[in-house]
Amino acid sequence: MEQYEPDRLSPVVAAAMRRSLRNGRAAMTRRSLMRASAGGALALGGLATLSGCGIPAAGKTSGGVSADDHSAKEKVVNFSNWPEYIDVDDSEKHHPTLDGFRKRTGISVKYTEDINDNDEFFGKIQPQLAAGQDTGRDLIVLTDWLAARMIRLGYVQKLDSSNLPHAYANLSEQFRSPDWDPGRAYSYVWQGISTVIAYNKKALDGVEVKSISDLLDNPKLKGRVGFLTEMRDSVGMTMLDMGKDPGKFTADDYDAVIARLQKAVDKGQIRRFTGNDYTSDLSKGDFAACVAWGGDIVQLQADNPDVGYVIPDSGYMTSTDNMLIPNKARHKTNAERLIDYYYEPEPAAELAAYINYVSPVAGVVPYLAKIDKTAAKNPLIVPDKAMQAKSHAFRSLSAKEETAFQQKFAKLTGA
């Protein structure tokens, strides 16, 4: 049997996670964050349980640990997701897409918004998974780097492709084969997240911004530039600008990025590194330009016509939140049917029209246009082929790399 190296959270990585809880993407409460409200601090209990000990693997390397599937007799799916990350009707009591799934299949969905942070949630379910127990959940949504860890540890089940015909056919090309789950054997994308350059046209006052180099080097923007406290986003965007591939970089490549960003910090070019609170700086014009998340920009533009965005010629960073079936899930087939349902264009369009994140479903545009023509034309929601071709994902990191890289980034940002 293949041996897993236990993951350990060093003090550096734990500190980075705490920062993310306070003001990074982990602080997002999806829909409310897209309305440009900053996320608050979350509980750190999960971190405390993880930082001092190793994480044992589940002891299975191929497809996790299954249980007797009760899907045929028990018409239910227990689905855990992030807050405000699904469509809601006007009464705010029902989810139309889930209602549609139930009406069609007879399968009810027990939907719980109990994932406020990746590591906090991992700390909650990890003891059960390590002990080979059912978590009480059939489907969970986790960000790509934690999804990678769950797969590596053998904590999730291999998917049955025969239950996923729409998912297999309609998954957008840019999300098909991440290095941590080639061919999507264990996961499918719930929604994508794009990292771009945003600007305030009024604050730019005629200055042209097309690249990360413009942010770092143009003296007319000195002290009016923002970068993100999320390492993968800020480093990845800068790496692309330097002609390096975030999916294949070396330690030397990483160090070169840190040195370049440090130079910009030292000369006062970068005003500060921020979490989601950059939205306020951008709207007010304190930032003339910054590295930003696409979902925020869609909403900011609705309120402020001066806000715009740029996709650099060098490319942009993309990440994903992903659906996985944990070990011992009681209703695996039902969960797979729900995954597949969200890859049908009609429910995919209904979901995208409400939450405004990147839809992972190819062919969604005509269905989305029936609901919201503006959304259907917005590449931050439905990237066209040209934009898809410019997307890049940050490669998986070993525990050793995570510690070393976070330490260097923390020093850079003064965290």
Side-chain angles (χ1 to χ4, degrees), residues 63-125:
V65 180
S66 62
D68 292 337
D69 193 346
H70 298 267
S71 293
K73 294 182 179 180
E74 299 176 5
K75 297 293 186 179
V76 66
V77 177
N78 296 300
F79 184 10
S80 285
N81 203 348
W82 298 73
E84 302 183 73
Y85 206 18
I86 197 170
D87 53 304
V88 180
D89 68 3
D90 291 339
S91 73
E92 299 188 355
K93 295 181 180 179
H94 300 282
H95 306 294
T97 54
L98 293 182
D99 291 344
F101 178 74
R102 176 183 53 78
K103 291 176 182 177
R104 182 194 302 180
T105 65
I107 300 170
S108 297
V109 180
K110 183 180 179 182
Y111 186 78
T112 308
E113 296 180 332
D114 61 344
I115 306 178
N116 288 309
D117 166 69
N118 284 287
D119 278 279
E120 180 188 24
F121 184 72
F122 183 70
K124 184 188 303 182
I125 64 174

Side-chain angles (χ1 to χ4, degrees), residues 20 63 113 135 182 184 194 300 326 349 358-359 379 387 410 413:
S20 184
E113 296 180 332
T135 66
R184 292 287 178 182
S194 298
L300 287 177
V358 177
S359 175
M387 184 168 171
T413 62

Side-chain angles (χ1 to χ4, degrees), residues 304-326:
N304 188 341
D306 288 327
V307 173
Y309 71 94
V310 173
I311 305 297
D313 288 341
S314 60
Y316 69 100
M317 296 302 297
T318 188
S319 55
T320 55
D321 288 326
N322 309 274
M323 296 177 280
L324 306 102
I325 299 176

Side-chain angles (χ1 to χ4, degrees), residues 135-155:
T135 66
R137 299 167 177 86
D138 302 306
L139 193 63
I140 57 179
V141 175
L142 299 176
T143 305
D144 44 23
W145 58 267
L146 183 55
R149 181 194 295 176
M150 292 280 285
I151 293 169
R152 185 175 72 249
L153 292 172
Y155 283 167

Side-chain angles (χ1 to χ4, degrees), residues 295-366:
D296 294 341
I297 305 310
V298 173
Q299 296 302 315
L300 287 177
Q301 287 181 317
D303 299 323
N304 188 341
D306 288 327
V307 173
Y309 71 94
V310 173
I311 305 297
D313 288 341
S314 60
Y316 69 100
M317 296 302 297
T318 188
S319 55
T320 55
D321 288 326
N322 309 274
M323 296 177 280
L324 306 102
I325 299 176
N327 287 354
K328 295 290 186 177
R330 189 175 175 88
H331 311 104
K332 181 175 185 285
T333 299
N334 289 347
E336 289 168 338
R337 291 184 68 183
L338 183 60
I339 293 172
D340 196 61
Y341 169 77
Y342 277 107
Y343 275 82
E344 295 181 32
E346 290 175 331
E350 200 167 353
L351 180 64
Y354 187 83
I355 64 176
N356 295 159
Y357 273 74
V358 177
S359 175
V361 179
V364 75
V365 170

Side-chain angles (χ1 to χ4, degrees), residues 48-356:
T49 62
L50 295 176
S51 59
C53 61
I55 301 171
K60 183 122 178 176
T61 65
S62 180
V65 180
S66 62
D68 292 337
D69 193 346
H70 298 267
S71 293
K73 294 182 179 180
E74 299 176 5
K75 297 293 186 179
V76 66
V77 177
N78 296 300
F79 184 10
S80 285
N81 203 348
W82 298 73
E84 302 183 73
Y85 206 18
I86 197 170
D87 53 304
V88 180
D89 68 3
D90 291 339
S91 73
E92 299 188 355
K93 295 181 180 179
H94 300 282
H95 306 294
T97 54
L98 293 182
D99 291 344
F101 178 74
R102 176 183 53 78
K103 291 176 182 177
R104 182 194 302 180
T105 65
I107 300 170
S108 297
V109 180
K110 183 180 179 182
Y111 186 78
T112 308
E113 296 180 332
D114 61 344
I115 306 178
N116 288 309
D117 166 69
N118 284 287
D119 278 279
E120 180 188 24
F121 184 72
F122 183 70
K124 184 188 303 182
I125 64 174
Q126 185 273 331
Q128 295 167 293
L129 293 168
Q133 298 172 352
D134 180 10
T135 66
R137 299 167 177 86
D138 302 306
L139 193 63
I140 57 179
V141 175
L142 299 176
T143 305
D144 44 23
W145 58 267
L146 183 55
R149 181 194 295 176
M150 292 280 285
I151 293 169
R152 185 175 72 249
L153 292 172
Y155 283 167
V156 295
Q157 298 185 55
K158 194 169 186 178
L159 300 172
D160 184 346
S161 59
S162 67
N163 293 327
L164 298 160
H166 296 97
Y168 179 81
N170 295 336
L171 177 62
S172 177
E173 186 64 33
Q174 74 181 109
F175 300 125
R176 280 195 172 269
S177 196
D179 68 346
W180 48 271
D181 188 16
R184 292 287 178 182
Y186 298 90
S187 68
Y188 269 91
V189 179
W190 174 249
Q191 297 290 286
I193 303 165
S194 298
T195 303
V196 299
I197 296 174
Y199 62 83
N200 183 309
K201 184 176 180 180
K202 186 176 181 180
L204 282 179
D205 192 25
V207 176
E208 190 174 53
V209 170
K210 291 185 176 181
S211 67
I212 293 294
S213 288
D214 291 333
L215 268 62
L216 295 176
D217 301 330
N218 191 330
K220 294 181 179 179
L221 298 178
K222 183 176 180 179
R224 300 190 296 137
V225 168
F227 274 70
L228 294 168
T229 54
E230 292 290 337
M231 179 267 286
R232 288 167 174 81
D233 294 313
S234 288
V235 169
M237 290 292 284
T238 308
M239 195 172 287
L240 287 169
D241 188 74
M242 296 172 67
K244 302 294 183 180
D245 185 351
K248 299 178 181 178
F249 68 90
T250 65
D252 287 342
D253 294 333
Y254 185 90
D255 288 346
V257 171
I258 295 297
R260 187 176 186 205
L261 289 171
Q262 186 66 61
K263 182 179 179 181
V265 169
D266 292 344
K267 68 181 182 181
Q269 185 76 9
I270 296 175
R271 183 184 183 96
R272 65 189 185 104
F273 290 82
T274 72
N276 183 240
D277 48 330
Y278 74 84
T279 55
S280 176
D281 289 324
L282 183 62
S283 293
K284 292 187 298 183
D286 290 341
F287 283 162
C290 62
V291 179
W293 292 307
D296 294 341
I297 305 310
V298 173
Q299 296 302 315
L300 287 177
Q301 287 181 317
D303 299 323
N304 188 341
D306 288 327
V307 173
Y309 71 94
V310 173
I311 305 297
D313 288 341
S314 60
Y316 69 100
M317 296 302 297
T318 188
S319 55
T320 55
D321 288 326
N322 309 274
M323 296 177 280
L324 306 102
I325 299 176
N327 287 354
K328 295 290 186 177
R330 189 175 175 88
H331 311 104
K332 181 175 185 285
T333 299
N334 289 347
E336 289 168 338
R337 291 184 68 183
L338 183 60
I339 293 172
D340 196 61
Y341 169 77
Y342 277 107
Y343 275 82
E344 295 181 32
E346 290 175 331
E350 200 167 353
L351 180 64
Y354 187 83
I355 64 176
N356 295 159

